Amino acid sequence: MAEKSLFEKICDREIPAEIIYEDELCLCFKDISPQAPTHLLVIPKERINRLAEATSDHQNLLGHLFATVPHIARQEGFLESGFRCVINSGPDGGETVPHLHIHLLAGRKLEWPPG
Ligand code: AMP
């Protein structure tokens, strides 16, 4: 069996994280190195290494992840003020953890374009 990803270990409570939301398909926890006053990661419990490896088989799961974002934004109080979702995929995308995750950034005015 393939070695667990860092985020699978967080899902399995083998590595601590500040978990703020969980359901049967996904987990949301605070990023350990926040780039905004609020910086959360939303991950599927099922491992997909990166967006580049997602297929039509993952359609429902991907839809669930994105549909969960406004729920988390409401729960955490930044639904109205706004937020940004980022997915880094592969080396040029800046991916460092090979387990698909949505960065959810909020709490300050974010600039565009990103670096
Ligand atoms: P990426 O660079 O897009 O792959 O994002 C990986 C993110 O995971 C980075 O923002 C890291 O700060 C974050 N990260 C790494 N290790 C942990 C951890 N143990 N708990 C929470 N976030 C983490």
Side-chain angles (χ1 to χ4, degrees):
M1 201 157 80
E3 199 192 324
K4 283 185 186 180
S5 71
L6 174 64
F7 291 169
E8 282 175 299
K9 289 179 183 170
I10 288 177
C11 273
D12 293 344
R13 275 48 173 194
E14 292 169 15
I15 290 178
E18 279 194 70
I19 294 169
I20 62 124
Y21 174 85
E22 179 171 23
D23 64 30
E24 68 282 11
L25 296 177
C26 70
L27 190 73
C28 177
F29 51 92
K30 294 186 180 178
D31 196 293
I32 205 167
S33 175
Q35 303 301 311
T38 299
H39 186 170
L40 307 174
L41 300 173
V42 185
I43 68 163
K45 290 184 172 176
E46 175 190 337
R47 183 164 177 185
I48 304 169
N49 287 323
R50 57 193 55 84
L51 191 57
E53 294 182 22
T55 69
S56 54
D57 288 347
H58 301 116
Q59 207 163 297
N60 288 345
L61 181 55
L62 295 175
H64 179 79
L65 290 181
F66 278 102
T68 301
V69 165
H71 174 81
I72 293 168
R74 187 179 296 109
Q75 174 187 300
E76 298 302 306
F78 57 83
L79 185 68
E80 302 299 330
S81 52
F83 55 88
R84 181 175 294 168
C85 292
V86 174
I87 297 176
N88 299 324
S89 184
D92 281 0
E95 172 201 310
T96 59
V97 177
H99 184 132
L100 177 67
H101 46 283
I102 302 172
H103 292 262
L104 185 47
L105 300 145
R108 68 172 168 85
K109 182 110 180 126
L110 297 162
E111 294 181 357
W112 191 263

